[in-house]
């Protein structure tokens, strides 16, 4: 069993070896160092931060091969599988992209005094909108045809938006020496590091990052990638489960907390557990005054707009929707959970069949995340018509779990577990809504269903054929849906995780939840142009892009393509483009 010291450094453990919880005296020493170095971080000027970021890019690139191998092996992925590329994408690629975008932003601060998104303007409805994607040729290559914007809250004026953007770098009064606790997620290896980067570079806080026990084995790899921050005393990485988390969240040296996890974890931090925690929640009496931001998952909807879909369209989006579940074995807070369709659409059943066909071809995955088998049994017991694509777990056999589709959910059953609970495994459902008159009526009904029936406020997708958008009434209804969906990200034609990966977009829940009804959480991360008062991110992509997206579970060349994309993101070396093109075309 490997153990960490007070700096958070740790030798790379052998596969299968556990990482021991950080000892209490080492936790205290780590927090003491961060408390001592918090003022120094605020005093670190832009040029010095740019030097640190350049080091971080190099170190993250060097750490990537061992990092991704450890991540994939812990998830039971075969070394000869194309899925070996999955953790390259969701780990080092996104972290390095985040770092490079922060470089761009700090260079703009240095040269112009503030971040400079591609545009910052007032939309026809009076809302301030920042165009934040694409920002360069690499964006155009990785996300051909995609655009991304961040919408600010309706009461924010353009002058206010300009005055507040990146003000942590322009107004010393906005920062005080602060130690932030980041409670990392156990499913995706970029979450903890990227949350730490936001605390450091957007909120001007030093960070203690507690690894989740599920992926604690990746902590040493992240420590190697982030060694410059560890060396300077601006970051510490610690280990442990609930006891360590409780010790840190209540520690006097911790000023603020950011958690990616479940709403139950948030409630335990804010109100406590057991009867006393329930009493505090009911009375609205938090046990701590520490600010807590959080991203807490979602029952993510995919709204399908009926239209003139061809057989190829149906096949592509069957693969698209299935991939929204299959990626990472379904252990994503942003996995598709409910596919919403128009009952009167003649091609509804064909799309469901296309999803089935894709699930049949999906590589089986190990249910590595704790509680997955129990949750799967809960959902399938509630729905005897659930369809399994793979081998179901037997008694005492928890090393397998089939991808599962629950068709024909009843939209009037408001207490259905598929609507109220995030399965956090490879389970999703399909529901049809009645709207006999017009597509616009269906879209209005779909928005109301998602906003009022489905749990969560994190992200949603809308799939719409380009010919449908040529009809002014349908186009208006789609735009109305984007406006009205109470989700922190709305993505047209693709997985609602795309803004997470873009990083220049904001990532987080729709604003307005209360601690007593936290839904998907509060606050945003990523947001590399450092916008304030965010309402939501909106991303649009082509209905059928020219190349298979890297998040599709069926990408045959992902294991070879992904490392090249990481290297390109880190170096910008155009000599990599022929190899990238070759592997992308083979996908």
């Amino acid at each position: 069993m490997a153990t960490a010291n007070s700096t958070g450094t740790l030798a790379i453990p052998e596969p299968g070896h556990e990482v021991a919880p950080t000892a209490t005296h080492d936790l205290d020493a780590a927090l003491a160092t961060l408390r001592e170095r918090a003022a120094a971080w605020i005093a670190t000027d832009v040029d010095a931060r740019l030097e640190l970021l350049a080091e971080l890019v190099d170190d993250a690139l060097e750490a990537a091969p061992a990092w991704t191998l450890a991540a994939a092996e812990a998830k039971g992925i075969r070394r000869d599988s194309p899925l070996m590329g999955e953790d390259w994408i969701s780990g080092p690629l996104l972290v390095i992209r985040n770092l490079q975008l922060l470089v761009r932003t700090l260079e703009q601060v240095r040269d112009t005094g503030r971040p400079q998104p591609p545009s910052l303007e007032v939309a026809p409805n009076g809302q301030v909108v920042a165009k934040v994607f694409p920002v360069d040729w690499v964006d155009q290559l990785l996300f051909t045809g995609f655009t991304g914007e961040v919408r600010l809250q309706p009461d924010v004026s353009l002058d206010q938006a300009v005055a507040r953007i990146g003000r942590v770098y322009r107004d010393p009064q906005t920062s005080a020496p602060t130690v932030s606790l980041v409670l990392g997620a156990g499913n995706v290896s970029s979450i903890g590091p990227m949350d730490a980067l936001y605390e450091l570079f957007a909120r001007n806080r030093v960070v203690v990052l507690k690894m989740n026990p599920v992926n604690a084995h990746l902590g040493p790899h992240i420590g190697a990638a982030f060694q410059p921050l560890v060396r300077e005393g601006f970051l510490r990485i610690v280990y442990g489960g609930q006891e360590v988390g409780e010790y840190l969240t209540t520690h006097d040296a911790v000023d603020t907390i950011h958690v990616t996890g479940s709403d139950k974890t948030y409630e335990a931090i804010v109100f406590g557990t057991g009867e006393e925690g329930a009493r505090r929640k009911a009375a609205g009496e938090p046990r701590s005054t520490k600010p807590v931001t959080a991203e807490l998952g979602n029952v993510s909807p995919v709204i399908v707009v009926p239209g003139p879909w061809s057989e190829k369209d149906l096949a592509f989006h069957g693969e698209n929707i299935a991939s929204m579940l299959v990626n990472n074995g379904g252990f994503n807070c942003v996995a598709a959970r409910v596919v919403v369709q128009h009952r009167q659409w003649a091609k509804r059943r064909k799309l469901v069949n296309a999803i089935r066909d894709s699930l049949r071809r999906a590589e089986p995955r190990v249910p590595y995340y704790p509680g997955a088998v129990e949750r799967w049994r809960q959902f399938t017991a509630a729905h005897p018509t659930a369809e399994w694509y793979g081998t179901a777990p037997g008694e005492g056999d928890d090393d397998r779990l089939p991808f599962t589709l629950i068709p024909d959910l009843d939209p009037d059953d408001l207490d259905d577990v598929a609507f109220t609970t995030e399965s956090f495994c490879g389970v999703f459902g399909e529901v049809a809504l009645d709207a006999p008159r017009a597509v616009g009526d269906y879209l209005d009904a779909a928005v109301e269903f998602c906003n009022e029936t489905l749990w969560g406020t994190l992200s949603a997708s809308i799939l719409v054929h380009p010919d449908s958008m040529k009809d002014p009434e349908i186009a208006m209804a789609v735009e109305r849906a984007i406006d009205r969906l109470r989700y922190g990200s709305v993505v047209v034609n693709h997985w609602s995780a795309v803004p997470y990966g873009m990083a220049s977009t904001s990532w987080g829940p729709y604003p307005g939840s209360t601690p007593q009804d936290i839904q998907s959480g509060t606050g945003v991360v990523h947001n590399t142009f450092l916008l304030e008062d965010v309402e939501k991110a909106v991303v649009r992509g082509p209905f059928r892009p020219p190349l298979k997206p890297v998040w599709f579970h069926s990408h045959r060349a992902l294991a070879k393509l992904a490392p090249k994309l990481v290297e390109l993101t880190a170096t910008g070396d155009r000599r990599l483009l022929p190899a990238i093109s070759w592997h992308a075309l083979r996908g």
Side-chain angles (χ1 to χ4, degrees), residues 282-461:
E285 298 175 356
R287 65 173 182 164
S288 171
T289 59
K290 294 177 183 181
V292 181
T293 53
E295 191 265 84
L296 306 174
N298 198 47
V299 176
S300 305
V302 181
I303 300 172
V304 179
V305 181
W309 292 33
S310 68
E311 293 300 316
K312 289 184 177 180
D313 296 334
L314 292 164
F316 175 86
H317 284 288
E319 201 93 325
N320 187 15
I321 294 169
S323 296
M324 299 178 196
L325 175 73
V326 171
N327 182 276
N328 199 25
F331 301 112
N332 287 319
C333 60
V334 70
R337 297 300 176 198
V338 177
V339 181
V340 182
Q341 294 213 71
H342 188 192
R343 190 179 300 278
Q344 284 72 32
W345 187 34
K347 298 185 179 182
R348 173 196 165 204
R349 297 293 182 187
K350 287 189 173 183
L351 180 59
V352 173
N353 286 336
I355 295 170
R356 291 178 172 125
D357 289 343
S358 183
L359 292 175
R360 290 187 187 100
R361 296 191 300 271
E363 183 173 317
R365 303 294 289 267
V366 172
Y368 68 89
Y369 212 89
V373 172
E374 290 77 10
R375 291 189 297 275
W376 180 85
R377 286 177 172 144
Q378 175 192 10
F379 275 71
T380 54
H383 292 283
T385 60
E387 302 170 1
W388 308 349
Y389 297 87
T391 304
E395 280 300 322
D397 181 7
D398 291 354
D399 65 349
R400 56 191 177 190
L401 204 62
F403 293 111
T404 301
L405 170 66
I406 307 172
D408 297 304
L409 292 167
D410 180 357
D412 296 321
D413 185 0
L414 304 185
D415 295 325
D416 191 319
V417 65
F419 300 155
T420 64
T421 306
E422 182 183 17
S423 65
F424 210 71
C425 63
V427 176
F428 64 175
E430 184 262 356
V431 65
L433 304 181
D434 282 308
R437 287 182 295 175
V439 172
D441 295 333
Y442 156 71
L443 274 171
D444 290 342
V447 169
E448 182 178 4
F449 173 79
C450 294
N451 284 344
E452 304 300 334
T453 301
L454 301 184
W455 177 83
T457 56
L458 183 60
S459 62
S461 295

Side-chain angles (χ1 to χ4, degrees), residues 272-281:
T273 58
E275 291 183 4
E276 177 62 14
R279 185 198 67 76
R280 285 185 172 276
K281 180 183 175 184

Side-chain angles (χ1 to χ4, degrees), residues 130-421:
K131 306 290 186 183
V132 299
F133 190 92
V135 299
D136 59 18
W137 67 272
V138 175
D139 284 355
Q140 293 170 345
L141 175 69
L142 298 183
F143 295 93
T144 303
F146 283 76
T147 62
E149 66 186 34
V150 175
R151 299 183 178 186
L152 303 191
Q153 295 177 31
D155 60 347
V156 176
S157 70
L158 181 59
D159 287 344
Q160 289 171 323
V162 171
R164 295 170 184 171
I165 187 171
R167 61 175 165 173
V168 70
Y169 289 96
R170 294 182 287 117
D171 183 0
Q173 302 302 315
T174 61
S175 299
T178 303
V179 176
S180 178
L181 168 62
V182 171
L183 298 172
N187 57 331
V188 174
S189 67
S190 61
I191 293 176
M194 292 172 75
D195 289 349
L197 289 175
Y198 197 73
E199 292 296 305
L200 282 154
F201 288 92
R203 293 179 172 144
N204 233 1
R205 302 164 179 171
V206 294
V207 171
V208 54
L209 168 61
K210 190 191 86 66
M211 296 298 297
N212 189 293
V214 177
N215 61 3
H217 57 282
L218 299 181
H221 301 282
I222 293 166
F226 279 22
Q227 185 55 36
L229 293 169
V230 175
R231 179 193 69 217
E232 298 298 326
F234 302 140
L235 173 69
R236 289 291 181 264
I237 300 174
V238 299
Y239 303 85
Q242 183 176 345
E243 290 185 3
V244 171
E246 173 72 10
Y247 184 78
L248 291 171
T249 56
T250 58
H251 201 291
D252 289 342
V254 169
D255 301 305
T256 66
I257 301 167
H258 178 80
V259 55
T260 297
S262 73
D263 56 327
K264 302 299 184 290
T265 301
Y266 172 89
E267 290 176 358
I269 293 168
V270 173
F271 297 111
T273 58
E275 291 183 4
E276 177 62 14
R279 185 198 67 76
R280 285 185 172 276
K281 180 183 175 184
E285 298 175 356
R287 65 173 182 164
S288 171
T289 59
K290 294 177 183 181
V292 181
T293 53
E295 191 265 84
L296 306 174
N298 198 47
V299 176
S300 305
V302 181
I303 300 172
V304 179
V305 181
W309 292 33
S310 68
E311 293 300 316
K312 289 184 177 180
D313 296 334
L314 292 164
F316 175 86
H317 284 288
E319 201 93 325
N320 187 15
I321 294 169
S323 296
M324 299 178 196
L325 175 73
V326 171
N327 182 276
N328 199 25
F331 301 112
N332 287 319
C333 60
V334 70
R337 297 300 176 198
V338 177
V339 181
V340 182
Q341 294 213 71
H342 188 192
R343 190 179 300 278
Q344 284 72 32
W345 187 34
K347 298 185 179 182
R348 173 196 165 204
R349 297 293 182 187
K350 287 189 173 183
L351 180 59
V352 173
N353 286 336
I355 295 170
R356 291 178 172 125
D357 289 343
S358 183
L359 292 175
R360 290 187 187 100
R361 296 191 300 271
E363 183 173 317
R365 303 294 289 267
V366 172
Y368 68 89
Y369 212 89
V373 172
E374 290 77 10
R375 291 189 297 275
W376 180 85
R377 286 177 172 144
Q378 175 192 10
F379 275 71
T380 54
H383 292 283
T385 60
E387 302 170 1
W388 308 349
Y389 297 87
T391 304
E395 280 300 322
D397 181 7
D398 291 354
D399 65 349
R400 56 191 177 190
L401 204 62
F403 293 111
T404 301
L405 170 66
I406 307 172
D408 297 304
L409 292 167
D410 180 357
D412 296 321
D413 185 0
L414 304 185
D415 295 325
D416 191 319
V417 65
F419 300 155
T420 64
T421 306

